[in-house]
Amino acid sequence: MDYRKLGQEITELVGKKYNIARLTHCATRLRFELHDISKAETEKLKALPGVITVVNNGGQYQVVVGNEVQQVYRVITQQMGSATRSAESKSDSGKNNGPKQKQSWISRFISVISTTFTPVIPAIIGAGMIKAILAVLVLTGLVTTESQNYYILNTIADAAFYFMPILLAYGASIEFETSPILAMTVAGVLLHPGWSALMAEGKDVFFIGVPVRLTDYAGSVLPIIIVVWLMSYIERFADRVSPSMIKFFTKPMIVLLITAPLALVAIGPFGTYLNDLVAMGAEAINARASWLIPLLMGTLQPFLIVTGTAWAMTPIATSQLTKNGYEMINGPGMLASNIAQGGATLAVALKTKNKKLKQLAASSGFTAVLGITEPSLYGVTLKLKKPLIAAMIGGGVAGIYAGLTGLVRYAFVSPGLAALPAFIGSNPMNIVHAIVTCLIAFVVTFALTWIIGFEDPVDDEEEGNSNVNDDKTLSGQPVLDNSPDTKSAAKTNANVPRQNELRPLTIASPMQGELVHLDRVPDDVFSLGLLGKGAAIIPAKGELYAPITGEVTAFMDSKHAVKLNGYDGEEVLIHIGVDTVNLKGRHFDSSIKVGDRVQRGDLLISFDIEAIKAEGYEVITPIIIANSDRFPDIKLEKQSPVEVGATIIHLS
């Protein structure tokens, strides 16, 4: 795999480096936050060799590349350089002037948790694995709990959890666009030995006459996230009120002088209360129905991964690990789910006759049983559907067993066969229950997948020999014959131009105005043809009509951009004005939504030209053929005034 080439291609297709507001990664996926998500070419990204799939959930645009994610991440961050404020290159103020898309509170919560925890994952996984190794050493008698070797290794493993607030402060500062160093300093205040000394004395503590609740913040999660969120507003205030000549001194002083006391007096205790409340709720559920949480996690984990909500339970699990030394929220159910994914995928590998699918299923199935399931989920079970259902059933059945036997996880690692030592602890039967959970998940899922089967895709070679005329190509794509034998193939290759599509296609003018070349658009992304060939119109009337008959496949919340896919294979992107996403929907009106079918000439969007100009924005409107590479011959009409419905672009 050429990681440099893959990284460069991904950067191009997410809208170039200038469109990347932030980039992090986890075990298998690149997590982008983009200035303008409409610039990302999702279908082209999915088609890249090395990309498993693309997920747009939880406030992030996620490109799943599998176990090689770190190599690709390095390439992209090198390309980004100083062009964008990534997690590694944010300025001290953290201010980001890029437009942001509206998010539901659920998406916002998931985004906060994801961005906050993603940079911390290497530390807690490394610490978790040391804990697991230490458990094996104690179990085999190579190390005793009273030895200095144990003490030192245990200290190394505990450090990541003890100083969790400092680690989380970094990720939270990235999410809330504030200074990472100041955020980590405030977290250090919460963990300072002087604060521990006050707690040890046990006396009442007051700050300027206000009573201070003495709370142990070691290993806490929610308090520091709330504190950093508040600090982001305090920093902006300090930036405004500090005189320019002495801002270097006054700004950090104001931030620390306000944030730290608030953290100790009010925000920290409140966050601790929330933290404890959530943990008590989870423990109460576990005490009354120990099987319920592992059942739900074992069954629904694939759904949580696909929707991007798998992060929601991480704070509770981390808190339990820190306070109790074990957790039962994520680990047991995830172990059942991960092994079930591997069982389903390996069953596919043995049963399929498709050579490519067999190879993919064998490698991703092996990876899944080790603990990394996304290649298996996106590459095999989600596409075939029935194996996914089998995996959810098998994961649920194994989850019930895990819950009834009280299975817990002693270290923060991705559950799988490679991480079984993380289930070795004070209860010697815990590892036995973990192994039995794995066996149940694998056997039940494998058997179900084998019995209910799946629709085995035809090998490309066979399909090519029987359905495709190899002598007929268009833009490098196979052209299907119109004979009855090829009709079924045409259904599964809807985006591939058919032979009868060699006839000219036309794009109608979507608005009244002056037709001009793309190079008139004051935005390099359009004027240089980076998104595709096309034309532009300087509108004379604030109405946008459908230039083709087809389906609405993308529509921005700001109502300034829409993408249509035509029934003849053409894809048309229309972007009203330049940088008008910043208007957040002001001066635009539309009732269309993604999935709507439209006829050429239907009114799509109304907009107020003068109001948009009054706010300082250009109204010149690019009309882009998003899949220009599919059409070898694209001709534009001459520049001139045009009416709605007049032909402006010819395709063949």
Side-chain angles (χ1 to χ4, degrees), residues 316-587:
I316 308 174
T318 306
S319 178
Q320 285 188 336
L321 272 170
T322 303
K323 288 191 173 183
N324 305 329
Y326 60 85
E327 66 87 21
M328 75 285 289
I329 295 296
N330 272 2
M334 286 178 64
L335 177 66
S337 178
N338 290 355
I339 298 298
Q341 276 291 322
T345 310
L346 290 174
V348 170
L350 287 176
K351 193 167 187 177
T352 182
K353 292 182 173 59
N354 184 296
K355 294 178 182 178
K356 288 186 177 179
L357 178 58
K358 185 180 289 291
Q359 182 179 4
L360 172 63
S363 60
S364 61
F366 178 73
T367 304
V369 295
L370 292 180
I372 303 297
T373 61
E374 282 157 313
S376 165
L377 175 62
Y378 290 117
V380 180
T381 60
L382 189 60
K383 291 180 178 179
L384 298 179
K385 297 182 178 60
K386 287 183 180 179
L388 177 61
I389 295 172
M392 293 175 73
I393 295 172
V397 172
I400 293 175
Y401 174 84
L404 291 175
T405 56
L407 181 65
V408 298
R409 178 174 59 164
Y410 292 102
F412 196 102
V413 291
S414 182
L417 296 184
L420 279 178
F423 292 86
I424 300 174
S426 56
N427 177 8
M429 285 301 294
N430 196 71
I431 182 62
V432 175
H433 295 316
I435 294 171
V436 174
T437 298
C438 293
L439 289 173
I440 293 173
F442 188 90
V443 171
V444 171
T445 306
F446 190 97
L448 278 175
T449 305
W450 196 272
I451 293 169
I452 65 177
F454 51 90
E455 187 175 342
D456 201 9
V458 179
D459 263 328
D460 291 343
E461 291 85 354
E462 295 178 19
E463 188 175 357
N465 291 336
S466 61
N467 291 331
V468 179
N469 184 340
D470 292 330
D471 294 330
K472 302 171 183 177
T473 59
L474 180 62
S475 296
Q477 298 291 336
V479 181
L480 300 183
D481 223 354
N482 282 325
S483 61
D485 291 339
T486 64
K487 290 181 179 178
S488 60
K491 291 180 182 179
T492 59
N493 292 275
N495 291 327
V496 180
R498 293 170 296 190
Q499 187 178 0
N500 63 4
E501 289 177 350
L502 288 171
R503 70 183 190 283
L505 302 176
T506 60
I507 308 298
S509 174
M511 53 177 59
Q512 177 185 341
E514 182 184 356
L515 178 66
V516 297
H517 289 303
L518 274 181
D519 57 15
R520 290 277 298 275
V521 181
D523 185 330
D524 288 348
V525 173
F526 296 110
S527 62
L528 298 179
L530 302 181
L531 295 180
K533 299 178 181 178
I537 294 178
I538 303 173
K541 189 175 181 181
E543 293 178 343
L544 177 74
Y545 295 85
I548 61 173
T549 295
E551 180 179 333
V552 178
T553 56
F555 184 52
M556 295 290 290
D557 290 340
S558 49
K559 301 181 181 181
H560 76 290
V562 62
K563 184 169 178 287
L564 306 175
N565 283 14
Y567 297 134
D568 287 317
E570 69 275 38
E571 299 177 10
V572 182
L573 171 66
I574 309 171
H575 192 287
I576 302 173
V578 177
D579 292 331
T580 44
V581 64
N582 297 330
L583 294 172
K584 299 180 179 179
R586 295 195 305 277
H587 317 311

